[in-house]
Amino acid sequence: YFYRSAAVFESADLEYKDARENLFRVYGNLVDIHLDLNNFDSAYHYLGLNEQFATQNEDYQPALSNVYGRVAWLEANRRNYTTAIEYYEKSIAAVPESTAPIFLAIKKTFYARFLCYYDVKGYEPKIDSLYTSSYQIFLKNDYNKLRKNDSATLVNFIGIFHMDLDRLDSARYYFDKALAINLELFGENNLATMDNINNLTVIRLKRGDYISAREKFKDLWLRANKVGVLPASRLVYYKNYARTFNETKDFKTAEFKFDSLVNYRNKYVQNDLVRLIEAKEGLVTALVGLKKYKRAEKLLYEIISDHEKSMAESGEQDLLAYIELVKIRKLQGDEEGALTLKSENRDRILERLSADSEIYALNEEL
């Protein structure tokens, strides 16, 4: 249907406003369809047409910010992170001054969330600036009262930022604000509410309250299954549930739980390699605890391969995997092999990060 519509409007006289609007809208619909099907190349093709159309038609200049935002999101999913950052910047710069401030605030919010997901420590000042600016826009314009749903999203993201940097009291403050809003708007069985509870429970986990956290994560996992939350979202709760067994050194149970998690992720959300790596990391911890070194090594090399596919020469997960390999070699008494891996990883770290990075220090401590 949309292909036929595009063909009709492409052949129409675009001097007519209705034809222009319909063509622009059809291109956007085709982008959505291909994104839903994970056909990134086709989605990018129609995004490109949308961008070209907007740049060549003055009436559509205000829409460029949205187009650039979609390109940024698409590039992030294609794991072209440098290009994604470039388009997030263009999206924010293209927001018209005449537009309501809420649109600028939301764009800054999601750009900051992407940077947190990508490299929170590398972009800490930028992320802090984006969130501070967004939050001030919300407060100044009373969007915290008029747009409660968006406000809950913003303060939850700010909480995640603080939690990633182990500022746990600040994180809890923002998570509590988000939870109160979402309970009021949606009740306890809504995904946004459950995510807030999950984040608050992660704080318990970080503070060593493992048993209490375990019961909370288990309840979230069971409830999410019952109310039909999609696998990509509910598996986050299961990962945290599994993690509590590693924390209490019940490695036998942890092995079983993380095995299940890896299988779930391969079955339902195999394209999310970053979170698949997280599942494998948890399994490695359990296997090392059980002294199953051969399987742990195999998984670590899988992590390195997955990281290459998902992040290329960015990020840290492959570097951390090499550090775990060095530890395993040492545990097996292979000092020479451990020294070789350590030296090779030092070169990788220096090429990508610096001698001042935490990962360099971890590698040198081995």
Side-chain angles (χ1 to χ4, degrees):
Y1 171 79
F2 287 113
Y3 286 120
R4 291 199 302 272
S5 298
V8 168
F9 293 120
E10 283 171 346
S11 63
D13 185 351
L14 293 184
E15 291 300 316
Y16 291 99
K17 182 180 178 183
D18 288 348
R20 292 199 305 272
E21 288 183 354
N22 285 325
L23 181 59
F24 190 77
R25 190 177 300 114
V26 167
Y27 284 156
N29 288 329
L30 286 167
V31 171
D32 291 335
I33 290 169
H34 286 294
L35 285 177
D36 288 342
L37 296 172
N38 288 329
N39 296 335
F40 294 142
D41 289 338
S42 296
Y44 199 94
H45 169 72
Y46 287 104
L47 265 173
L49 292 177
N50 229 335
E51 180 183 9
Q52 182 181 11
F53 190 86
T55 55
Q56 292 175 352
N57 292 270
E58 189 174 334
D59 291 344
Y60 291 85
Q61 292 292 321
L64 271 176
S65 178
N66 289 334
V67 175
Y68 290 147
R70 296 294 297 280
V71 175
W73 187 89
L74 181 57
E75 290 290 0
N77 278 273
R78 286 157 60 98
R79 302 177 181 90
N80 296 330
Y81 298 111
T82 302
T83 307
I85 289 170
E86 175 189 337
Y87 274 96
Y88 273 118
E89 293 282 357
K90 290 176 72 172
S91 176
I92 289 171
V95 175
E97 291 185 9
S98 59
T99 303
I102 184 67
F103 296 110
L104 179 60
I106 289 173
K107 289 184 186 307
K108 288 185 173 184
T109 295
F110 281 93
Y111 180 22
R113 182 68 191 107
F114 161 72
L115 290 174
C116 279
Y117 186 75
Y118 170 54
D119 185 5
V120 64
K121 292 179 181 176
Y123 287 91
E124 182 182 339
K126 178 73 174 179
I127 296 165
D128 189 45
S129 174
L130 286 166
Y131 277 141
T132 299
S133 175
S134 299
Y135 198 39
Q136 289 305 314
I137 290 172
F138 266 75
L139 295 178
K140 182 179 178 180
N141 295 275
D142 276 343
Y143 293 132
N144 56 316
K145 299 174 184 176
L146 302 172
R147 302 278 296 253
K148 288 186 176 181
N149 187 15
D150 292 320
S151 180
T153 299
L154 170 59
V155 295
N156 183 58
F157 284 171
I158 296 174
I160 293 172
F161 170 54
H162 286 291
M163 186 165 67
D164 285 346
L165 296 170
D166 286 325
R167 303 168 185 166
L168 300 185
D169 289 335
S170 295
R172 177 162 189 160
Y173 170 80
Y174 288 106
F175 290 150
D176 279 337
K177 289 176 74 70
L179 178 60
I181 297 169
N182 284 321
L183 281 171
E184 176 192 345
L185 293 177
F186 308 117
E188 65 177 10
N189 289 326
N190 178 268
L191 175 60
T193 304
M194 287 190 280
D195 278 348
N196 295 150
I197 295 170
N198 174 74
N199 291 336
L200 284 164
T201 308
V202 171
I203 293 177
R204 290 193 192 188
L205 185 66
K206 284 177 171 282
R207 287 180 165 156
D209 190 359
Y210 303 129
I211 304 305
S212 170
R214 179 180 298 165
E215 291 307 309
K216 277 285 186 184
F217 290 135
K218 182 179 179 181
D219 175 69
L220 284 169
W221 164 248
L222 294 174
R223 197 188 323 168
N225 278 284
K226 184 176 180 180
V227 300
V229 172
L230 292 174
S233 298
R234 67 177 186 254
L235 286 175
V236 173
Y237 312 147
Y238 191 86
K239 181 205 75 173
N240 290 332
Y241 171 57
R243 181 181 165 190
T244 65
F245 294 99
N246 271 338
E247 296 289 355
T248 56
K249 301 191 184 308
D250 182 358
F251 297 121
K252 188 178 178 67
T253 305
E255 179 188 16
F256 174 76
K257 300 297 183 184
F258 277 107
D259 256 330
S260 298
L261 180 61
V262 170
N263 289 333
Y264 285 143
R265 287 211 161 274
N266 277 320
K267 181 176 180 180
Y268 294 113
V269 279
Q270 57 185 297
N271 288 334
D272 191 347
L273 289 177
V274 172
R275 287 201 169 95
L276 178 60
I277 290 172
E278 289 177 354
K280 290 180 178 179
E281 287 171 338
L283 182 52
V284 166
T285 299
L287 292 170
V288 172
L290 294 168
K291 299 183 179 180
K292 296 183 177 181
Y293 300 131
K294 187 173 182 180
R295 188 179 175 209
E297 283 194 346
K298 180 183 176 184
L299 270 171
L300 286 166
Y301 281 113
E302 285 182 15
I303 287 171
I304 291 165
S305 176
D306 289 342
H307 181 275
E308 184 178 343
K309 295 173 188 173
S310 65
M311 301 282 278
E313 295 299 317
S314 303
E316 303 174 349
Q317 289 173 304
D318 60 332
L319 303 176
L320 292 170
Y322 280 115
I323 287 174
E324 288 302 312
L325 283 168
V326 174
K327 291 178 182 178
I328 290 173
R329 296 286 166 85
K330 282 179 167 286
L331 288 169
Q332 293 176 305
D334 182 6
E335 292 292 337
E336 184 178 348
L339 186 60
T340 300
L341 272 175
K342 176 181 174 179
S343 177
E344 292 172 350
N345 202 36
R346 179 189 297 120
D347 293 339
R348 293 186 195 94
I349 295 168
L350 289 174
E351 184 178 341
R352 191 179 309 171
L353 304 173
S354 72
D356 296 326
S357 67
E358 291 180 18
I359 291 185
Y360 183 85
L362 286 174
N363 193 68
E364 294 307 295
E365 287 171 7
L366 296 174

